């Protein structure tokens, strides 16, 4: 999973945090099947989008006849790759268990996600209504899933992340699913789930699409979108890419983004080389209006053959295109890990009581590193731009707990204090990948790197052969060098912060203090405002080192009360400051501040803002060996 880093980190600091972009890879459901039922049966499921009741979709689940007296039906508590509790059962209403006479049966709801049905030999089907999650994301006191894993039910748009609608019978996750989705004929449809048939109603007003899923994992792994949105298709090598874009106010189109996505994915395919790919890849982009019923968990959720992305509709096209490169490239690289390389915790995922792997440094960190490195390798960014991105990650990582064991954090990612540091998997996790890459390049005289290591691991294990979690590092050291083991023991399993200058020096690079460009909410990656005890938002002392605000006479502790006519509060902080983050020089802005009892009004034209910060540059005196290592690192 991946989000646009700045806006998500802003959310984490101000709002208490959205989870970041995550992955849902090729992860079979838990195969530990109860001996009562080891045969493969079929669960017939229906979803009717033409019969929405007060923003709720009716669902019917019709299993085969049960042989046992009691069965358990669940909605997922956690879905693969999200590293956070979703509790989809919270959004279920009107649950009914019906016998073969159509009579309601007795059941017990034992927790948010679990219904225990008694006299199950008489159970014919269950039915219920599903609320969407987008509408209540901004409602105080209601916990909702990360937006790209959430659901939307609107007349002109349905985001159907199926774990939010369809559950599973415990021990029957291996059963095949047949899913019928009925919708108005006027709605577009997009999904990578296998379509096996369709039927138009007699009055020609609705259409039912028939889908097939070999097991419950495939239900969780294949999101859908129905509604008024645009679709563009193109070919990248042997992959058919389907880009679906929903922009409620028609601000952006799929055609606008098609070339950007095409060029990016062409470069990714070239960079990856012979790593196996999928025949089809879907990208679903939902653009949020940023109002009280719109999603605000910006980022993406990766699936085996698709990605769902949620971003603000208000983004200028250049910023949107840049975000799509960052976010979608990260998600697509998940075909390496955890799709091809993953542990038993991932392979045998338990939707109700999951355990987590120790290796988020690989699943998310190395994936993020690839998404950063391939851009300089393929000439999409300059070396200077790549160095700037690396320095931003170092700055952000330094603001988190740099002494926390990365493997310990990964294994305990749902609980405090580890959950508070999850964001670091995209910062320090990527930097861990970089350091391993540099060590491998040095030890092999440039012939091996972390991409070749991942290819070797995928050959050793692969998507159908998970590794034992406690053995991965030992396996990697056996395949590489003792120095890799020392690095893991000290900086990944251990708690010693990484001295990045040691690794940069190997490539002839040094960190110097200089004047660097920044934006209007940060100094070199660090936020320049903070919440106050009273629930307002004020500038910190860092504002004095931000050239734009300093030139406007802004002082530390000035409270930000209004920006371009919008009153600023903790409730709308993410929306407001996301827009400030996207400000460009030349725009007219008006900001109102409160300095003690005095109101201060700033009405001006934006100029580029600068700050003093650390930059990564090639040293003046560099050896031939350092140059060769740097070239091998950046250009493979």
């Amino acid at each position: 999973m991946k989000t646009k880093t700045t806006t998500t980190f802003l959310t984490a600091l101000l709002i208490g945090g959205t989870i970041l972009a995550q992955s849902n890879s090729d992860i079979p459901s838990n195969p530990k099947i109860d001996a009562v039922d080891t045969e493969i049966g079929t669960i017939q499921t229906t979803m009717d989008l033409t019969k929405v009741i007060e923003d709720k979709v009716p669902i019917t689940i019709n299993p085969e006849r049960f042989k046992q007296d009691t069965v358990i039906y669940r909605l997922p508590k956690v879905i693969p790759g999200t590293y956070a509790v979703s509790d989809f059962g919270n959004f279920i209403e009107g649950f009914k268990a019906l016998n073969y006479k159509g009579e309601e049966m007795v059941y017990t709801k034992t927790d948010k996600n679990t219904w225990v049905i008694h006299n199950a030999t008489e159970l014919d089907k269950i039915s219920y209504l599903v609320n969407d999650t987008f509408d209540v994301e901004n409602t105080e006191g209601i916990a909702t899933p990360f937006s790209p894993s959430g659901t939307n039910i609107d007349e002109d748009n349905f985001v159907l992340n199926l774990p939010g609608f369809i559950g599973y019978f415990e021990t029957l996750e291996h059963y095949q699913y047949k899913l019928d989705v009925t919708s108005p004929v006027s709605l577009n449809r997009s999904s990578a789930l296998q379509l096996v048939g369709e039927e138009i109603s007699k009055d020609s007003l609705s259409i039912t699409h028939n889908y097939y899923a070999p097991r419950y994992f495939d239900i969780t792994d294949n999101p859908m979108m129905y509604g008024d949105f645009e679709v563009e298709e193109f070919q990248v090598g042997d992959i058919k890419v389907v880009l679906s874009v929903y922009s409620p106010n028609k601000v952006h189109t799929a055609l606008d983004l098609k070339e950007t996505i095409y060029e990016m994915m062409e470069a990714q395919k070239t960079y990856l080389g012979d790593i196996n790919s999928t025949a089809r890849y879907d990208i679903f982009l939902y653009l949020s209006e940023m109002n009280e019923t719109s999603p605000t968990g910006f980022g993406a959720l990766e699936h085996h053959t698709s990605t769902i992305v949620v971003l603000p509709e208000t983004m200028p096209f250049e910023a949107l295109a840049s975000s799509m490169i960052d976010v979608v490239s990260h998600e697509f690289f998940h075909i390496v890990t955890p799709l091809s390389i993953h542990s038993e915790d991932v392979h045998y995922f338990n939707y109700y009581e999951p355990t987590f792997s120790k290796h988020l440094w690989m699943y998310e960190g190395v994936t993020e590193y690839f998404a950063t490195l391939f851009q300089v390798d393929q000439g999409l960014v300059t070396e200077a731009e790549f160095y700037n991105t690396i320095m931003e990650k170092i700055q952000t990582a330094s603001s988190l707990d740099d002494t926390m064991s990365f493997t310990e954090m990964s294994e305990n990612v749902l609980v405090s204090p580890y959950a508070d540091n999850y964001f670091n998997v995209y910062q320090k996790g990527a930097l861990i990948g970089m350091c391993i890459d540099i060590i491998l390049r040095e030890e092999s005289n440039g012939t091996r790197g972390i991409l070749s290591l991942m290819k070797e691991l995928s050959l050793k294990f692969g998507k159908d052969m998970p590794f034992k979690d406690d053995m991965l590092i030992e396996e990697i050291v056996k395949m590489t060098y003792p120095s890799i083991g020392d690095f893991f023991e000290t900086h990944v399993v251990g708690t010693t912060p990484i001295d990045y200058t040691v690794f940069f020096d190997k490539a002839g690079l040094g960190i110097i203090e200089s004047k660097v460009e920044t934006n209007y909410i940060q100094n070199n990656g660090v936020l320049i405002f903070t919440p106050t005890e009273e629930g307002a938002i004020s500038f910190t002392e860092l504002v004095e080192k931000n050239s734009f605000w300093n030139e406007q006479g802004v002082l530390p502790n000035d409270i930000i009360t209004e920006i371009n006519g919008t009153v600023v509060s903790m409730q709308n902080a993410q929306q407001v400051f996301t827009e400030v983050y996207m400000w460009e020089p030349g725009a007219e802005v008006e900001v109102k501040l409160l300095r003690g009892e005095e109101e201060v009004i700033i009405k001006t034209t934006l100029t580029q803002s600068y700050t003093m910060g650390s930059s990564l540059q090639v040293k003046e005196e560099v050896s031939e060996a350092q140059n060769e290592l740097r070239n091998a690192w950046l250009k493979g």
Side-chain angles (χ1 to χ4, degrees):
M1 155 188 166
K2 182 67 169 70
T3 75
K4 190 62 180 174
T5 300
T6 302
T7 56
T8 306
F9 192 44
L10 171 66
T11 304
L13 288 182
L14 289 180
I15 314 300
T18 329
I19 301 300
L20 310 179
Q22 305 162 0
S23 76
N24 182 359
S25 61
D26 187 18
I27 307 162
S29 299
N30 194 332
K32 301 173 184 177
I33 301 165
D34 194 295
V36 171
D37 196 336
T38 58
E39 297 179 357
I40 302 298
T42 301
I43 296 175
Q44 183 70 49
T45 304
T46 63
M47 178 186 305
D48 197 336
L49 307 183
T50 69
K51 295 182 179 178
V52 173
I53 305 169
E54 296 179 349
D55 253 10
K56 305 178 188 74
V57 170
I59 303 292
T60 301
I61 309 292
N62 190 350
E64 296 178 352
R65 190 152 201 158
F66 287 100
K67 299 175 183 178
Q68 62 264 48
D69 291 331
T70 302
V71 296
I72 297 173
Y73 183 77
R74 285 195 169 112
L75 269 290
K77 177 181 180 180
V78 178
I79 57 175
T82 52
Y83 315 111
V85 173
S86 295
D87 280 337
F88 284 110
N90 278 337
F91 305 94
I92 302 301
E93 292 183 10
F95 185 94
K96 293 179 182 179
L98 302 172
N99 65 20
Y100 287 97
K101 297 179 181 179
E103 300 167 337
E104 292 192 34
M105 298 175 60
V106 175
Y107 68 85
T108 303
K109 187 175 183 182
T110 57
D111 59 38
K112 296 175 181 177
N113 303 292
T114 305
W115 291 261
V116 179
I117 302 168
H118 310 285
N119 299 318
T121 55
E122 300 300 318
L123 178 64
D124 178 20
K125 58 187 175 182
I126 61 177
S127 65
Y128 49 83
L129 299 174
V130 178
N131 285 288
D132 63 344
T133 67
F134 281 9
D135 283 354
V136 294
E137 273 194 21
N138 301 309
T139 304
E140 188 174 352
I142 297 179
T144 57
F146 171 58
S147 298
S149 65
T151 58
N152 189 50
I153 301 171
D154 277 331
E155 185 178 3
D156 67 340
N157 179 267
F158 294 84
V159 174
L160 305 180
N161 272 303
L162 296 179
F165 296 88
I166 300 169
Y168 60 94
F169 290 98
E170 190 176 73
T171 75
L172 302 187
E173 299 99 316
H174 62 297
Y175 269 35
Q176 61 187 2
Y177 280 69
K178 291 184 178 178
L179 169 61
D180 293 341
V181 180
T182 301
S183 69
V185 293
S186 59
L187 298 186
N188 287 335
R189 174 198 69 89
S190 190
S191 175
L193 192 63
Q194 184 180 352
L195 183 68
V196 294
E198 60 184 39
E199 182 179 354
I200 297 178
S201 63
K202 292 180 180 180
D203 59 11
S204 299
L205 296 178
S206 64
I207 184 170
T208 299
H209 295 101
N210 314 120
Y211 299 95
Y212 169 73
R215 60 195 188 279
Y216 185 68
F217 160 73
D218 297 282
I219 291 291
T220 69
D221 192 47
N222 287 282
M224 301 177 175
M225 187 181 283
Y226 277 73
D228 179 17
F229 57 89
E230 297 183 337
V231 179
E232 289 289 333
E233 299 180 0
F234 52 91
Q235 202 75 17
V236 176
D238 53 356
I239 302 175
K240 176 183 178 181
V241 180
V242 182
L243 173 64
S244 303
V245 177
Y246 173 68
S247 181
N249 298 297
K250 311 300 182 187
V251 176
H252 301 288
T253 68
L255 184 61
D256 291 339
L257 289 165
K258 179 178 179 179
E259 189 63 26
T260 296
I261 301 299
Y262 170 76
E263 290 179 359
M264 176 198 70
M265 295 190 75
E266 277 277 0
Q268 286 184 280
K269 279 283 290 176
T270 301
Y271 176 76
L272 285 173
D274 58 359
I275 286 183
N276 290 339
S277 63
T278 176
R280 169 174 169 155
Y281 197 85
D282 280 78
I283 301 169
F284 304 90
L285 173 59
Y286 181 100
L287 293 171
S288 171
E289 289 186 273
M290 302 283 286
N291 59 33
E292 63 277 1
T293 60
S294 297
T296 54
F298 302 131
L301 179 67
E302 164 67 11
H303 299 266
H304 183 183
T305 58
S306 62
T307 299
I308 286 192
V309 187
V310 177
L311 291 170
E313 189 181 38
T314 54
M315 296 180 81
F317 177 76
E318 292 75 14
L320 177 63
S322 175
S323 291
M324 288 294 286
I325 290 173
D326 288 347
V327 171
V328 177
S329 64
H330 175 103
E331 304 309 336
F332 185 72
F333 274 120
H334 275 301
I335 68 172
V336 181
T337 182
L339 170 56
S340 296
I341 313 161
H342 54 259
S343 71
E344 292 176 328
D345 300 83
V346 175
H347 197 80
Y348 305 124
F349 191 82
N350 187 313
Y351 298 91
Y352 183 64
E353 294 179 327
T355 57
F356 291 93
S357 169
K358 297 177 180 178
H359 302 297
L360 279 176
W361 67 268
M362 183 176 73
Y363 300 139
E364 295 297 342
V366 170
T367 300
E368 173 65 5
Y369 176 62
F370 284 153
T372 304
L373 180 66
F374 99 96
Q375 296 187 53
V376 67
D377 179 273
Q378 294 295 306
L380 300 182
V381 299
T382 65
E383 290 187 18
E385 289 171 322
F386 171 75
Y387 298 150
N388 287 342
T389 300
I390 293 299
M391 289 306 301
E392 287 176 2
K393 290 188 179 299
I394 291 174
Q395 290 281 352
T396 306
S398 68
S399 67
L400 295 161
D401 188 346
D402 203 23
T403 63
M404 179 177 286
S405 164
F406 222 81
T407 52
E408 187 175 335
M409 182 269 286
S410 298
E411 194 172 28
N412 299 281
V413 70
L414 288 189
V415 299
S416 183
Y418 308 103
D420 299 334
N421 283 269
Y422 173 75
F423 185 71
N424 217 8
V425 302
Y426 304 102
Q427 313 306 318
K428 189 174 181 178
L431 297 168
I432 288 170
M434 177 193 73
C435 294
I436 294 171
D437 200 9
I438 292 173
I439 295 172
L440 289 172
R441 293 293 181 187
E442 181 182 43
E443 292 278 18
S444 67
N445 294 319
T447 61
R448 297 179 72 186
I450 197 163
L451 180 59
S452 62
L453 173 61
M454 291 296 108
K455 290 181 179 181
E456 291 169 28
L457 284 170
S458 67
L459 291 174
K460 186 176 182 66
F461 297 105
K463 67 179 183 179
D464 296 320
M465 186 183 296
F467 58 79
K468 292 186 180 299
D469 209 63
D470 289 337
M471 300 299 291
L472 177 65
I473 291 175
E474 181 180 332
E475 290 287 343
I476 290 175
V477 176
K478 286 179 183 178
M479 296 167 66
T480 56
Y481 311 98
S483 56
I484 293 291
D486 294 339
F487 177 81
F488 274 116
E489 186 64 30
T490 305
H491 301 299
V492 183
V493 178
T495 60
T496 303
I498 301 170
D499 183 355
Y500 298 104
T501 61
V502 172
F503 297 90
F504 293 145
D505 184 65
K506 297 176 188 295
L509 299 172
I511 298 175
I512 65 169
E513 290 294 315
S514 62
K515 182 179 177 181
V516 295
E517 289 187 2
T518 190
N519 55 62
Y520 306 96
I521 67 172
Q522 296 169 305
N523 283 351
N524 205 26
V526 181
L527 293 174
I528 60 176
F529 51 79
T530 188
T532 68
E533 292 182 0
E534 294 76 22
I537 297 169
S538 67
F539 283 104
T540 68
E541 292 182 358
L542 292 176
V543 72
E544 295 177 332
K545 298 180 180 179
N546 185 290
S547 67
F548 172 77
W549 293 114
N550 185 263
E551 289 165 4
Q552 306 308 315
V554 176
L555 301 177
N557 301 316
D558 282 353
I559 293 173
I560 308 167
T561 60
E562 191 174 306
I563 296 179
N564 289 338
T566 300
V567 175
V568 177
S569 66
M570 289 293 293
Q571 287 68 40
N572 68 359
Q574 181 183 11
Q575 174 182 347
V576 171
F577 288 104
T578 296
E579 292 176 356
V580 175
Y581 174 69
M582 294 186 292
W583 280 359
E584 298 284 348
E588 301 293 326
V589 298
E590 182 174 342
V591 179
K592 293 183 180 180
L593 309 174
L594 186 62
R595 184 176 298 160
E597 300 296 325
E598 176 190 1
E599 182 179 68
V600 177
I601 299 177
I602 298 171
K603 193 171 184 178
T604 188
T605 302
L606 292 175
T607 56
Q608 178 61 56
S609 195
Y610 298 89
T611 191
M612 292 300 295
S614 300
S615 62
L616 187 60
Q617 298 181 16
V618 178
K619 293 180 178 180
E620 291 184 5
E621 297 184 7
V622 181
S623 69
E624 182 178 347
Q626 288 172 314
N627 276 329
E628 288 177 353
L629 190 149
R630 186 175 66 257
N631 290 334
W633 169 35
L634 299 183
K635 297 296 182 180

